[in-house]
């Protein structure tokens, strides 16, 4: 989790963190506030200045490494292998552990835990080799397995034929006038976040001279609001409040992260969705999100105004009450999709789109 300390008053230099960056408010007509940002991980002990001692492996860690080594025939190859404690993956964003191993092993290494192993790539040349030049030599592996119960046949876990078909249909929706309308949506949603930060610094900062803000959470809320409005014309307003749908979205994300790092896929066993509490919660969260998306799709189809792609791309988005991507997909002539496929497309953009955007902003 990433956080920043927002200090009121002029920007000051920190001997340990370097010069702070000034960020005046972008709001017109309001007094300008100058923030001083000090970024640090909230998972790191503030009092700990020396490097932490190597973590002791527990029984599960040792069993996991033995299992990986056994299933690979006793030889994981010449590639550097990250063999840290598997429990390092739990209880914090996955990036922190991956980055530590990157510093130790380089930009391409094998992460071995449980019955599977993964190649972690952060070298742009290798990434291009995999994703652009040799894409058909690789499959989506565990990612598709984990996301399929959530996103169905959305763009990320979809098979190749479905992906080609849906990408061809969805791409025209991201045309120039739509993007221009979305920039206005970005501005309106960003104003909410700015106002919230100003209120925090004015109230708490007045008493304590500083305010701690979890920027990862704030950017997640901002991205969720933008995607809700831009993709299916639904205002989560997650910057200022928390609804059952918002809780369900984050609950689903936490379960996906859990499944990506757990030792065995116990959730595939019969009856676990009713017996295991976290699996009961996961299916309950999915139901909340699906009901929301189903209602939005139903409303969009009931007000459908079918037209050719060219006419849809020439709409006056400044006068439309619903300028969402869902509206475009429903109105597009010849691109009829069943409710299930539309739901999978929307779920993919909602879950994957907002989380990745928030991570980059953070």
């Amino acid at each position: 989790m990433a956080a920043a300390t927002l200090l009121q008053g002029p920007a000051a230099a920190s001997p340990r963190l370097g010069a702070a960056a000034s960020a005046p408010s972008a709001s017109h007509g309001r007094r300008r506030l100058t923030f001083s940002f000090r970024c640090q991980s909230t998972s790191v002990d503030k009092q700990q200045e020396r490097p932490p001692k190597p973590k002791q492996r527990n029984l599960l860690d040792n069993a996991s490494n033995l299992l990986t080594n056994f299933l690979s025939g006793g030889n994981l190859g010449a590639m550097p292998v990250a063999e840290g404690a598997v429990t390092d993956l739990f209880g914090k964003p996955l990036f922190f552990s991956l980055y530590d191993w990157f510093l130790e092993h380089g930009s391409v290494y094998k992460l071995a835990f449980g019955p599977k192993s993964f190649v972690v790539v952060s070298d742009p040349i290798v990434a291009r080799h995999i994703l652009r030049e040799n894409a058909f030599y690789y499959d989506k592996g565990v990612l598709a397995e984990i996301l399929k119960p959530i996103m169905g046949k959305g763009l990320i876990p979809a098979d190749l034929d479905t992906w080609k078909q849906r990408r061809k249909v969805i791409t025209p929706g991201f045309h120039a006038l739509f993007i221009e309308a979305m920039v206005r949506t970005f501005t309106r949603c960003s104003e909410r976040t700015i106002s919230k930060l100003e209120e925090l610094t004015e109230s708490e900062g007045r008493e304590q001279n500083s305010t701690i803000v979890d920027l990862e959470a704030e950017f997640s809320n901002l991205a969720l609001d933008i995607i809700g409005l831009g993709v299916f014309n639904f205002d989560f307003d997650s910057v200022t409040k928390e609804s059952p749908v918002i809780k369900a979205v984050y609950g689903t994300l936490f379960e996906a992260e859990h499944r990506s790092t757990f030792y065995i896929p116990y959730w595939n066993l019969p009856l676990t969705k009713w017996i295991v509490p976290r699996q009961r919660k996961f299916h309950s969260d999915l139901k909340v999100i699906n009901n929301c998306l189903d209602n939005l799709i139903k409303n969009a189809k009931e007000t459908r105004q079918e037209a050719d792609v060219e006419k849809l791309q020439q709409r006056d988005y400044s006068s439309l009450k619903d300028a969402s991507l869902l509206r475009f997909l429903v109105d597009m002539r010849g691109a009829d999709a069943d409710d299930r496929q539309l739901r999978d497309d929307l779920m993919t953009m909602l879950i994957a789109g907002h989380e990745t955007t928030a991570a980059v902003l953070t």
Side-chain angles (χ1 to χ4, degrees):
M1 184 182 297
T5 304
L6 303 184
L7 304 177
Q8 284 189 308
S14 166
R16 187 164 62 91
L17 296 173
S22 299
S25 167
S27 306
H28 296 291
R30 291 183 293 197
R31 70 183 185 85
R32 295 165 64 88
L33 292 179
T34 301
F35 298 146
S36 173
F37 292 86
R38 292 190 308 179
C39 296
Q40 64 189 36
S41 166
T42 56
S43 65
V44 177
D45 186 354
K46 296 178 182 178
Q47 304 300 323
Q48 185 177 8
E49 295 294 339
R50 59 177 180 269
K53 296 180 180 179
K55 185 174 180 179
Q56 296 296 320
R57 297 182 186 178
N58 60 25
L59 182 61
L60 284 175
D61 294 326
N62 292 325
S64 175
N65 290 337
L66 287 174
L67 181 58
T68 303
N69 197 46
F70 171 75
L71 293 177
S72 63
N75 179 18
L76 289 174
M79 185 181 299
V81 179
E83 291 184 316
V86 181
T87 47
D88 286 344
L89 298 173
F90 308 141
K92 61 181 178 180
L94 184 60
F95 168 78
F96 286 120
S97 296
L98 296 180
Y99 183 65
D100 289 340
W101 287 321
F102 159 77
L103 295 177
E104 182 178 353
H105 301 293
S107 58
V108 180
Y109 62 87
K110 184 169 288 188
L111 177 62
F113 66 93
K116 297 182 179 179
S117 61
F118 307 88
V119 175
V120 180
V121 173
S122 58
D123 183 282
I125 296 176
V126 179
R128 182 180 65 185
H129 171 84
I130 295 172
L131 298 174
R132 182 176 178 180
E133 298 170 359
N134 296 275
F136 296 105
Y137 288 94
Y138 303 89
D139 62 32
K140 299 177 181 179
V142 69
L143 178 66
E145 296 173 16
I146 293 169
L147 296 179
K148 189 173 181 180
I150 302 172
M151 302 177 184
K153 287 192 173 184
L155 288 173
I156 292 179
D159 59 87
L160 182 59
D161 291 337
T162 302
W163 179 85
K164 285 182 177 180
Q165 179 187 12
R166 296 309 299 163
R167 187 179 187 278
K168 186 177 180 180
V169 171
I170 293 173
T171 298
F174 293 93
H175 55 281
L177 292 179
F178 173 77
I179 298 298
E180 185 178 323
M182 287 305 100
V183 170
R184 292 193 290 270
T185 300
F186 298 168
T187 302
R188 292 196 303 272
C189 293
S190 297
E191 285 288 335
R192 292 180 186 173
T193 300
I194 291 171
S195 296
K196 182 177 181 180
L197 293 176
E198 287 180 344
E199 290 173 4
L200 284 171
T201 55
E202 288 174 354
S203 59
E204 297 182 23
R206 187 180 299 114
E207 300 175 359
Q208 305 173 13
N209 295 325
S210 67
T211 303
I212 305 298
V213 177
D214 181 354
L215 289 182
E216 183 180 36
E218 295 304 326
F219 284 138
S220 292
N221 293 335
L222 172 60
L224 186 63
D225 286 354
I226 288 174
I227 286 185
L229 289 168
V231 174
F232 39 82
N233 194 38
F234 183 84
D235 190 358
F236 289 105
D237 194 12
S238 60
V239 169
T240 58
K241 65 182 182 182
E242 188 175 41
S243 71
V245 180
I246 296 170
K247 291 181 179 179
V249 168
Y250 288 116
T252 303
L253 280 169
F254 292 147
E255 176 60 21
E257 186 179 73
H258 167 71
R259 293 186 176 191
S260 69
T261 56
F262 202 72
Y263 305 94
I264 57 174
Y266 69 90
W267 47 86
N268 290 330
L269 298 175
L271 304 181
T272 53
K273 63 183 294 185
W274 294 285
I275 297 176
V276 181
R278 73 173 302 137
Q279 297 308 313
R280 288 203 307 267
K281 181 181 183 303
F282 168 66
H283 288 281
S284 175
D285 289 340
L286 268 186
K287 185 176 181 180
V288 170
I289 302 173
N290 285 334
N291 288 341
C292 176
L293 294 180
D294 288 343
N295 288 332
L296 292 169
I297 292 170
K298 179 182 178 182
N299 293 337
K301 286 195 168 184
E302 287 177 349
T303 56
R304 184 181 187 187
Q305 296 179 340
E306 190 177 19
D308 293 329
V309 172
E310 291 77 11
K311 290 185 178 180
L312 293 177
Q313 292 179 336
Q314 295 171 4
R315 279 177 167 173
D316 181 7
Y317 282 89
S318 62
S319 63
L320 283 180
K321 292 184 179 180
D322 180 0
S324 66
L325 182 63
L326 173 60
R327 167 58 55 199
F328 186 95
L329 296 177
V330 168
D331 289 350
M332 194 186 330
R333 178 175 286 120
D336 295 320
D338 57 40
D339 290 357
R340 178 72 182 183
Q341 184 61 59
L342 277 174
R343 172 261 176 210
D344 292 347
D345 294 337
L346 298 180
M347 180 71 87
T348 301
M349 296 180 197
L350 172 64
I351 298 295
H354 107 270
E355 186 194 29
T356 50
T357 303
V360 170
L361 288 172
T362 303

